[in-house]
Amino acid sequence: QQYDIVARAQGGANAGHTIYNDAGVKFALHLVPSGILNPSTICVIGNGVVLHLPGLFEEIAGLKAKGVSVEGRLLISDRAHLLFDLHKEIDGLREAELAGSGKQIGTTKRGIGPAYAAKATRNGIRVCDLANMDVFADKLRKLSLDGSKRFGEEYTYDVEADIAKYREVAATVLPLVIDTIDYLNTAYEQGKRILIEGANATMLDLDFGTYPYVTSSNPSIGGIATGLGLAPNKYGALIGVVKAYTTRVGAGPYPTEIFDTLAEELREIGREYGTTTGRPRRIGWMDIPALRFVSRINGLTHVNITKLDVLDQLAEIQVGVAYRTQDGRVLKSVPADLEILENVEVEYETLPGWQTDISKIREWEDLPQAARDYVQRIEDLVGVYCKWIGVGPGRDAIVVKPRMGKC
């Protein structure tokens, strides 16, 4: 509600944000920034996003059906790369090749990786290419040829049908297309308040995450500069959004993962199913080494802890505070070598639970002492002010911690 502009810098429709408006209506957003629910906010899809335009229009139609208009409030970068159905098909074919090898990534099969690969190999197609459909058609034919050479008869993408579809799509999208780099920097210079919305998570970052079990972009601070063209000296605050426990969708090492019926119970209470895929999320305890790693990379100024209420029923809560290797060494950071990460022994602290419903609480001093102690312990271990605590799905279900340190 406090921002003039909300912008997305990276990722694609593999990101899923479930939010509720003031009336409690649920929205599942994948490409449109969440600021669209505020009628006075302009939403920007930056150059670092890979954009599936048919999917975007479906999302816009769904918003309109629920009474949310995007008219005049959604802007798209002319430099953003387009994601096509061919990328989705290639994504699925690559994952199928890995089936049974134990090396499947657990991709959403939304074509994100192949779209970023095309960008990196410099045969990608950008939004600005839609202004000349003859050039666009030639580029798409050449791009599709790569897929047919690679996968042969298994590759069934109909490039001519997609070209015909995009001739109609172009007329719809081009009025939304601008130079978002100029727009955002001018807005900043005019004193407009800009919120940059994350997608995915730092532990899925292409450079810093659990590679290769990662996404194909940089959901860390670097992705903001490259994905929007906003220089780092313009960032006023860097807020890390962290659940009161941990979750993960897809394959990859997960040191604090919970495997028993408790994981199933927390998954149901927290509704931990992927917004994009519907897949059940893996559940784990708070992982302090990972959170400290993420905080250092991003230079977090604040932390927003969400879903604290999901832990309401627990008598005891575990917090992973250190990784110890098989030979007894305590690791100073998250290791790059996944074999090491998969075999670490996690040292835990056990904290008492509060075993009472906190979902109606809105003031810090009204939280049970055990809940406040849990938040404070996370803050102490990470060294970053845990200012906001989410206690439910509603927009007002937020408790503000008055200051850093014990209070």
Side-chain angles (χ1 to χ4, degrees), residues 290-306:
L291 182 53
R292 192 182 294 120
F293 178 72
V294 165
S295 177
R296 282 174 140 183
I297 289 167
N298 293 290
L300 298 182
T301 58
H302 304 79
V303 167
N304 175 6
I305 297 176
T306 67

Side-chain angles (χ1 to χ4, degrees), residues 215-326:
T215 192
S216 302
S217 63
N218 292 106
S220 57
I221 189 172
I224 299 172
T226 59
L228 290 174
L230 276 173
N233 64 353
K234 296 174 180 174
Y235 310 158
L238 291 155
I239 303 165
V241 180
V242 182
K243 289 176 185 174
Y245 48 100
T246 58
T247 61
R248 180 174 187 134
V249 173
Y254 191 175
T256 64
E257 186 168 11
I258 304 169
F259 294 99
D260 55 22
T261 56
L262 177 58
E264 297 173 13
E265 292 169 5
L266 292 176
R267 184 179 299 115
E268 292 305 314
I269 295 169
R271 299 173 189 151
E272 294 295 355
Y273 295 88
T275 304
T276 297
T277 63
R279 290 181 295 178
R281 295 186 180 120
R282 297 158 68 188
I283 308 292
W285 298 113
M286 174 63 73
D287 186 331
I288 295 298
L291 182 53
R292 192 182 294 120
F293 178 72
V294 165
S295 177
R296 282 174 140 183
I297 289 167
N298 293 290
L300 298 182
T301 58
H302 304 79
V303 167
N304 175 6
I305 297 176
T306 67
K307 293 193 168 186
L308 187 64
D309 57 302
V310 173
L311 306 180
D312 280 353
Q313 299 177 16
L314 301 184
E316 292 183 337
I317 302 169
Q318 304 268 41
V319 178
V321 297
Y323 296 159
R324 190 176 292 276
T325 64
Q326 295 296 301

Side-chain angles (χ1 to χ4, degrees), residues 37-54:
L37 298 187
N38 179 357
S40 62
T41 296
I42 302 296
C43 292
V44 174
I45 296 176
N47 60 276
V49 175
V50 287
L51 190 57
H52 184 250
L53 288 175

Side-chain angles (χ1 to χ4, degrees), residues 1-7 33 35-36 38-44 72-75 183-184 186-188 190-196:
Q1 300 293 334
Q2 302 172 23
Y3 292 89
D4 304 299
I5 299 168
V6 176
I36 204 70
N38 179 357
S40 62
T41 296
I42 302 296
C43 292
V44 174
R73 298 199 300 116
L74 181 63
L75 304 174
Y183 176 82
L184 288 170
T186 299
Y188 174 84
Q190 292 172 345
K192 298 285 181 67
R193 298 202 69 194
I194 303 170
L195 178 68
I196 300 164

